[in-house]
Amino acid sequence: MSPAAPRKPRNGQYHRPANHVVVLFGATGDLAKRKLLPGLYHLFVAGLLPEGFRIIGSAPSQFALSDDDFRAHAHDAVSQFGNTKPTAPEWDKFAAALSFGAASPEDSAPLVAAVEAAEKAIGNEFHGHGHGAGKPVERLFHLAIPPAAFTSVVGMLGASGLATKQSQIIIEKPFGVDLESARALNDAVHAVFDESAVFRIDHFLGKESVDNVLAFRFANGLFEPIWNRQHIRYVQIDVPETLTVEQRAKFYDATGAYRDMVVTHLFQVLGFVAMEPPTSLAAKPLRDEKSKVYDALRPIDVRHVVRGQYEGYRSIDGVPKDSDTETMIAVRAEIENWRWHGVPFFLRSGKALASSRQIITLGFHAPPVRMFRTHRVDAPTGRVNEIVIDFADPGSISIEFMTKMPGPEMSLGASKMTFRYEDSFAASNALEGYERLILLAMLGDQSLFTRADGIERVWEISQPLLDSPPPVEPYARGSWGPASVEKLIAPYKWYLR
């Protein structure tokens, strides 16, 4: 069913997954429309899907589509949101692999029939020959559905027999809302799937630019020796957004910025920044090192938290007039281990802020500059040397340092060297976060997915904040949040300000 062999990168070889039936729960929803269907089509055109594959859309019976209607829905999604547009003959081949099977906890029969038909079609496709002949067809279930439905759908997969030893499951965020709910969800999932088959997805970890943090640290002897408390005095992980929440106010008001962004995204990025060198980049050693970081995290101190709410939020339809939900959060986190003792990690994210950025900043201890009797150092900010990693695709890495300014006096000025992905590598080789993670799930590679103990530990250290959150403070739309976010980080300054 694939149009071409996979393209090979200059320094390696892509592996093609085994034959698969992919079931998209929530196939008529926004995530499937914007990311999943366009992503699967791009993987197909790039030659990265299995030789034999079928994609089955699923939703409750009241939202059921015919196969032809689902193909039309997928065409609209790829046309509107895909970087690779649907054109013949590739689209015709891809569309032939699409079908629909409705499912609900009370009636899974249409989906069971659709999966059996898809697997039979893949078997007939090879007729005892070809690379995929004689191999079992694996199943990948992607739960792009509201979190409240996770447990019932997982239970249905077990009760119906759809979950087999050749099955994996992708579960979207948020994975629980606190420690108790995360443990309960893990228990429900593990009753049906082994942990080795569970892929808790965070599309931030699928970004090339986040993965490049590992390459930048561990593949360069210039940086790893200074990646510690002796040289680094603070770390910032800053993900502001200009978007507001009008389109999903009901969900957001029950969730808030901390659950929506910090637990599910920013702590995952922190794990990459702070981990010890793994013995390899295989799933177990990589996730073991991230887990050690989470084990060393101190419980959140609510005195080091700022919760903000943008002006006008309570006037949005669906938001209670007395809502205490934060639309912006800034947190100081601390890692109590040998590498990071005493180094504050400042995490910030929120809606209706001044800019949409995704930035990691590492600030270094300032050297003595008294020898430069005439100098211009940014003394109020204490900013002399920083590494700034922009992990918004396509991404960049900048190093900020001091140099002598031209002229007769020894005056210092700030300079910057920047590496940009888009200037250095072919964009055609890049996969979006969801595309890469779906491919890894089909390959059974869990290295960029969250493990059960990791997510439970993050909820555990979050409990003091969840139990006793400080009151929200108002902030103007288009600002950087309440004034107290500057006090939180003092004596340092936010890179974005």
Side-chain angles (χ1 to χ4, degrees):
M1 187 60 65
S2 175
R7 293 196 295 264
K8 297 179 182 179
R10 289 177 298 175
N11 60 343
Q13 182 175 358
Y14 291 127
H15 297 287
R16 175 170 274 176
N19 294 341
H20 261 79
V21 171
V22 179
V23 179
L24 295 182
F25 289 97
T28 59
D30 191 63
L31 177 60
K33 184 176 183 180
R34 290 177 176 272
K35 294 293 184 181
L36 306 185
L37 291 168
L40 286 164
Y41 180 64
H42 182 216
L43 289 173
F44 172 75
V45 172
L48 295 174
L49 285 187
E51 287 187 81
F53 75 94
R54 293 295 186 276
I55 298 169
I56 301 172
S58 189
S61 57
Q62 63 266 36
F63 302 110
L65 301 176
S66 68
D67 291 351
D68 286 341
D69 286 343
F70 180 52
R71 290 168 185 145
H73 172 78
H75 187 277
D76 290 344
V78 175
S79 298
Q80 185 175 359
F81 297 106
N83 293 326
T84 303
K85 302 302 180 183
T87 56
E90 287 85 0
W91 174 257
D92 296 335
K93 295 178 181 178
F94 180 77
L98 303 180
S99 61
F100 200 90
S104 64
E106 300 78 25
D107 183 13
S108 59
L111 179 58
V112 172
V115 170
E116 290 175 349
E119 291 180 345
K120 183 178 180 180
I122 293 174
N124 292 337
E125 188 176 320
F126 290 96
H127 298 296
H129 65 274
H131 180 70
K135 296 183 178 180
V137 177
E138 299 188 14
R139 300 174 181 177
L140 177 63
F141 303 105
H142 193 139
L143 272 55
I145 56 178
F150 288 166
T151 299
S152 61
V153 171
V154 169
M156 181 269 293
L157 291 174
S160 65
L162 284 168
T164 67
K165 291 183 179 180
Q166 284 76 44
S167 298
Q168 292 86 33
I169 185 168
I170 294 176
I171 303 178
E172 288 287 337
K173 70 153 182 100
F175 197 88
V177 296
D178 54 20
L179 178 59
E180 182 180 2
S181 60
R183 283 176 173 167
L185 182 52
N186 274 328
D187 290 344
V189 171
H190 290 157
V192 179
F193 294 90
D194 186 80
E195 177 65 20
S196 63
V198 180
F199 296 78
R200 298 170 191 81
I201 196 167
D202 172 11
H203 68 273
F204 270 42
L205 299 189
K207 291 172 172 285
E208 294 276 5
S209 47
V210 171
D211 215 22
N212 201 39
V213 173
L214 299 179
F216 182 73
R217 279 190 63 186
F218 299 129
N220 297 289
L222 182 62
F223 301 113
E224 176 56 24
I226 60 173
W227 208 273
N228 54 58
R229 60 188 169 90
Q230 277 79 29
H231 301 277
I232 295 174
R233 58 179 178 163
Y234 61 84
V235 179
Q236 301 173 21
I237 302 175
D238 202 2
V239 185
E241 298 179 273
T242 58
L243 295 174
T244 55
V245 301
E246 278 84 351
Q247 303 305 314
R248 56 182 194 134
K250 185 176 181 181
F251 162 81
Y252 197 88
D253 194 68
T255 305
Y258 186 77
R259 289 182 170 96
D260 186 45
M261 290 295 296
V262 178
V263 171
T264 53
H265 294 318
L266 272 62
F267 272 126
Q268 304 306 317
V269 175
L270 179 148
F272 272 73
V273 173
M275 70 166 61
E276 296 297 316
T279 55
S280 78
L281 295 182
K284 186 180 185 306
L286 189 65
R287 300 205 298 177
D288 282 349
E289 295 305 331
K290 279 183 64 183
S291 182
K292 291 176 185 177
V293 172
Y294 299 146
D295 285 343
L297 278 170
R298 300 181 66 179
I300 297 298
D301 186 338
V302 295
R303 296 173 300 175
H304 297 151
V305 175
V306 175
R307 297 170 69 240
Q309 186 183 89
Y310 67 79
E311 295 173 353
Y313 172 77
R314 295 177 183 176
S315 300
I316 300 172
D317 288 342
V319 175
K321 301 305 180 184
D322 59 349
S323 173
D324 191 51
T325 297
E326 79 280 356
T327 60
M328 187 234 64
I329 187 88
V331 175
R332 173 177 172 149
E334 298 180 12
I335 301 172
E336 194 60 39
N337 63 16
W338 279 98
R339 183 180 289 267
W340 297 113
H341 172 75
V343 179
F345 283 70
F346 298 103
L347 315 180
R348 179 175 65 175
S349 187
K351 304 294 185 182
L353 294 174
S355 179
S356 291
R357 301 288 300 277
Q358 297 170 14
I359 297 288
I360 301 166
T361 305
L362 299 100
F364 288 80
H365 290 292
V369 292
R370 190 169 181 272
M371 69 182 76
F372 302 99
R373 297 201 177 273
T374 56
H375 59 273
R376 295 197 305 186
V377 178
D378 196 1
T381 68
R383 179 160 289 153
V384 178
N385 301 132
E386 288 180 326
I387 293 176
V388 181
I389 301 171
D390 187 332
F391 62 97
D393 290 331
S396 65
I397 300 175
S398 299
I399 301 175
E400 300 193 354
F401 56 99
M402 305 304 295
T403 58
K404 178 188 178 300
M405 298 184 67
E409 295 183 333
M410 181 58 80
S411 295
L412 301 182
S415 300
K416 179 189 291 189
M417 292 191 300
T418 300
F419 156 82
R420 291 184 176 86
Y421 248 94
E422 62 184 351
D423 296 339
S424 304
F425 298 105
S428 60
N429 290 336
L431 298 178
E432 287 193 349
Y434 267 110
E435 296 168 359
R436 186 168 177 225
L437 293 172
I438 290 171
L439 176 60
L440 289 178
M442 285 192 285
L443 291 167
D445 184 346
Q446 293 180 302
S447 56
L448 298 181
F449 295 84
T450 305
R451 203 164 63 187
D453 59 344
I455 191 65
E456 289 184 13
R457 174 58 182 166
V458 171
W459 281 122
E460 183 180 8
I461 65 103
S462 301
Q463 204 62 48
L465 173 59
L466 302 179
D467 290 341
S468 302
V472 293
E473 303 174 38
Y475 64 93
R477 293 191 188 202
S479 69
W480 287 109
S484 53
V485 297
E486 303 298 337
K487 297 178 182 178
L488 173 73
I489 201 172
Y492 314 117
K493 298 289 185 180
W494 293 100
Y495 178 81
L496 297 175
R497 66 188 193 279

